[in-house]
């Protein structure tokens, strides 16, 4: 009944819930959802419970994989799985492949899922490389934000030019400027960017060279407005 479902949802949202309990809840809710679909029941009460499991810090990689193979009408569940640091590299690759085969690869719901993969510390180099060329800047920005993105991919993003030869998307450069894994020479180059927000991110970056910080402090009088 609804009272019991509220209790189950509360347990799934409790930070102390064990991986075993979360796995049990996930399996029960997926079975319940399947029964509802067979009966053409459009009740979506299970979504909030599955969302809680998908984002929980104690949910195991195997449970997250099981959740990822289920076809949801609610893309938010898949997005939460993609963002969970417990999600394995293999599961993330599976989610990416499923999204790539959708006709709406660049739709807003798909982009939200892909950006989750792009920021996940477990994403593979190949998946990050694939996402770094996605047509949506939101996805490319997520790759640029990930401190686990390989240097070669960060450099490709930093050196990319749009079709008209102009500099790459502002949001991508903004994320690169704040990424502590970006090489110092690239951070120095971004410190000359015309946009003050990018220069501010360079100034905040722990990997920025001392000489670059000194130049920004001495020459850039817009920083004190933003810090």
């Amino acid at each position: 009944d609804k009272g019991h479902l509220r209790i189950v949802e509360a347990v799934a949202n409790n930070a102390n819930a064990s991986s075993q309990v979360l796995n049990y809840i996930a399996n029960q809710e997926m079975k319940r959802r399947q029964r509802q679909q067979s009966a053409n029941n459009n009740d979506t009460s299970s979504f909030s419970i599955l969302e809680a499991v998908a984002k929980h810090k104690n949910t195991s990689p195997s449970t997250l994989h099981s959740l990822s193979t289920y076809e949801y009408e609610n893309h938010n569940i898949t997005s939460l799985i993609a963002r969970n640091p417990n999600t394995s590299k293999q599961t993330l690759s599976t989610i990416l492949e499923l999204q790539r085969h959708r006709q709406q690869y660049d739709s807003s719901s798909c982009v939200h899922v892909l950006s989750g993969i792009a920021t996940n510390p477990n994403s593979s180099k190949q998946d990050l490389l694939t996402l770094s060329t996605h047509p949506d800047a939101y996805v490319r920005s997520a790759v640029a934000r990930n401190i686990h993105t390989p240097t070669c991919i960060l450099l490709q993003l930093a050196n990319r030019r749009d079709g008209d030869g102009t500099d790459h998307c502002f949001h991508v450069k903004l994320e690169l400027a704040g990424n502590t894994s970006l090489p110092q020479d690239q951070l120095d180059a971004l410190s000359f960017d015309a946009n003050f927000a990018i220069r501010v991110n360079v100034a905040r970056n722990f990997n920025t060279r001392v000489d670059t910080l000194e130049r920004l402090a001495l020459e850039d009088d817009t920083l004190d407005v933003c810090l």
Side-chain angles (χ1 to χ4, degrees):
D1 58 28
K2 290 185 178 180
H4 176 67
L5 290 178
R6 289 183 63 183
I7 293 174
V8 171
E9 183 176 354
V11 171
N13 277 296
N14 192 308
N16 295 325
S18 68
S19 60
Q20 292 84 357
V21 168
L22 293 167
N23 181 61
Y24 175 80
I25 290 173
N27 287 332
Q28 291 299 110
E29 287 307 305
M30 284 190 289
K31 290 177 182 177
R32 189 166 73 88
R33 185 63 189 147
Q34 288 173 340
R35 290 195 299 269
Q36 290 173 337
Q37 289 177 323
S38 299
N40 293 320
N41 184 340
N42 293 322
D43 178 25
T44 59
S45 59
S46 61
F47 286 162
S48 59
I49 297 174
L50 291 173
E51 285 174 358
V53 175
K55 67 183 180 183
H56 203 288
K57 64 182 179 66
N58 292 336
T59 302
S60 69
S62 59
T63 300
L64 290 167
H65 183 76
S66 296
L67 285 172
S68 72
T69 60
Y70 189 79
E71 184 67 28
Y72 300 105
E73 303 93 314
N74 183 348
H75 293 288
N76 193 44
I77 297 172
T78 307
S79 178
L80 290 169
I81 296 169
R83 284 171 165 74
N84 194 316
N86 293 337
T87 301
S88 70
K89 180 186 300 184
Q90 292 74 20
T91 300
L92 292 168
S93 294
T94 298
I95 295 173
L96 177 56
E97 277 304 302
L98 289 172
Q99 297 299 313
R100 289 182 69 186
H101 284 91
R102 293 179 185 274
Q103 292 183 347
Q104 297 177 326
Y105 181 54
D106 58 350
S107 67
S108 59
S109 58
C110 187
V111 162
H112 199 52
V113 172
L114 296 179
S115 65
I117 299 173
T119 57
N120 196 300
N122 299 323
S123 290
S124 69
K125 177 180 177 180
Q126 184 57 53
D127 288 348
L128 290 170
L129 181 62
T130 298
L131 294 171
S132 71
T133 61
H134 192 275
D136 194 287
Y138 185 63
V139 176
R140 300 196 305 273
S141 297
V143 177
R145 185 187 318 133
N146 192 337
I147 62 172
H148 298 281
T149 297
T151 301
C152 60
I153 298 176
L154 293 176
L155 291 176
Q156 287 180 18
L157 286 168
N159 295 321
R160 172 175 169 167
R161 295 292 180 269
D162 291 332
D164 58 1
T166 58
D167 283 345
H168 196 31
C169 172
F170 160 75
H171 297 289
V172 174
K173 289 199 294 183
L174 186 66
E175 296 295 351
L176 286 170
N179 191 326
T180 55
S181 296
L182 189 70
Q184 292 180 329
D185 286 346
Q186 289 296 322
L187 288 168
D188 187 65
L190 286 171
S191 72
F192 291 98
D193 196 272
N195 192 294
F196 73 86
I198 292 174
R199 299 198 302 276
V200 169
N201 264 9
V202 173
R204 289 173 171 159
N205 194 316
F206 297 144
N207 193 39
T208 301
R209 288 198 305 254
V210 172
D211 62 305
T212 302
L213 293 173
E214 290 175 347
R215 176 173 49 75
L216 285 168
L218 294 171
E219 297 179 1
D220 201 329
D221 60 4
T222 63
L223 280 176
D224 60 350
V225 176
C226 307
L227 293 177

